[in-house]
Amino acid sequence: MRKLLPDHAAITPGDLPDAYECGVDRGWFVRLNFVATVDGSVVGGDHRSGSINNDVDGLVFHMLRAWADVIAVGAGTARAEQYDAPITDERWRSLRAGRPEHPAMAVLSTEAELPPGMDTMGRDDVFAVDSSGPDGVRTALHRLRRRGYNRVLLEGGPTIAGLALGDDLIDEICLTTSPLLVGGSAHRMVDGAPLDLRARLVGLIESESTLLARWSVR
Ligand SMILES: NC(=O)c1ccc[n+]([C@@H]2O[C@H](COP(=O)([O-])OP(=O)(O)OC[C@H]3O[C@@H](n4cnc5c(N)ncnc54)[C@H](OP(=O)(O)O)[C@@H]3O)[C@@H](O)[C@H]2O)c1
């Protein structure tokens, strides 16, 4: 694995938290995390992301979960990817020092309902948030902020990402480009109304042709 930006260095998985500035306290900060193929698809042939991600993306996915106070996710993704309560990966446990063992999870839903069959493991920090209406995503994320969740990891999907970006709610996009092309007409990372935003590359790591990028949209 090698870091290309902001400086050039060979790195190991243990260096990833520094590369993603996981220890920096920025107050309220919203990260959007996605994996996409070289041709821009966020799903493979099975309509899920599991067929386009890989080990190094999984490392970052779990590290960002450990970084987060709360994982926010659209109901569509929670259903498609069969989400359950998040459990912190052993490797990244130290990132949670001084905080609960696992991040909370908020499912953004127009019905304020968790997907049928979702296992909350009896945890009351796994909940649905009403995000219906034109300002629904903004209201839902601000509700999380009022509950004291400052580090927000938004795991999409494309509908919620489009609404959040359109409402200027995202600070940083963590985007893995997986070295695959899948064609077809699958989802891109963002659906919905046109946007007019610029992103600035703040970090880039390469590992076996997978690119791990951090894009600031502030
Ligand atoms: N590659 C990746 O990193 C990645 C990441 C995430 C998702 N995905 C893929 O993306 C696909 C899902 O995409 P998606 O766009 O359907 O998922 P989504 O953005 O997670 O969820 C969309 C759903 O959110 C709910 N919702 C809540 N508030 C809303 C509002 N204000 N306006 C509209 N809808 C609102 C609606 O469901 P209700 O009507 O039930 O409330 C809507 O159907 C899946 O195939 C998943 O695998 C890929």
Side-chain angles (χ1 to χ4, degrees):
M1 202 183 304
R2 58 192 171 130
K3 183 151 54 97
L4 304 174
L5 260 176
D7 50 8
H8 207 176
I11 61 166
T12 66
D15 298 316
L16 284 171
D18 278 347
Y20 279 77
E21 299 180 276
C22 287
V24 176
D25 186 5
R26 297 185 174 88
W28 168 252
F29 197 76
V30 183
R31 278 179 151 153
L32 175 64
N33 187 37
F34 264 95
V35 55
T37 60
V38 170
D39 59 339
S41 178
V42 295
V43 290
D46 58 355
H47 306 291
R48 292 168 66 162
S49 58
S51 51
I52 60 165
N53 62 15
N54 57 22
D55 288 352
V56 74
D57 175 62
L59 267 179
V60 171
F61 175 87
H62 288 292
M63 178 191 71
L64 291 176
R65 283 190 154 200
W67 164 83
D69 294 330
V70 66
I71 298 163
V73 64
T77 298
R79 285 190 293 263
E81 305 275 350
Q82 296 172 6
Y83 269 41
D84 291 321
I87 299 291
T88 301
D89 191 290
E90 274 300 320
R91 179 191 281 272
W92 304 120
R93 260 175 196 270
S94 61
L95 294 182
R96 300 212 56 83
R99 295 186 296 156
E101 189 178 359
H102 310 295
M105 178 170 276
V107 176
L108 275 52
S109 153
T110 57
E111 311 283 338
E113 275 182 11
L114 293 174
M118 180 175 180
D119 185 357
T120 64
M121 302 179 192
R123 287 166 44 191
D124 60 9
D125 66 353
V126 178
F127 51 90
V129 187
D130 181 0
S131 55
S132 56
D135 291 330
V137 172
R138 170 184 291 275
T139 305
L141 291 186
H142 282 290
R143 200 170 291 159
L144 297 179
R145 183 182 191 172
R146 283 197 300 277
R147 286 174 76 151
Y149 297 120
N150 270 340
R151 299 173 174 198
V152 181
L153 178 65
L154 185 58
E155 292 190 341
T159 304
I160 297 298
L163 292 167
L165 285 162
D167 267 351
D168 199 21
L169 294 166
I170 305 295
D171 294 294
E172 183 175 297
I173 299 171
C174 298
L175 175 63
T176 298
T177 304
S178 161
L180 299 171
L181 294 96
V182 296
S185 55
H187 282 291
R188 288 162 49 207
M189 194 181 109
V190 177
D191 279 351
L195 299 172
D196 183 15
L197 295 171
R198 278 191 83 82
R200 185 170 55 86
L201 188 62
V202 292
L204 185 64
I205 292 166
E206 186 272 345
S207 174
E208 295 179 8
S209 292
T210 297
L211 294 179
L212 305 165
R214 292 173 55 208
W215 296 94
S216 170
V217 280
R218 279 282 159 249

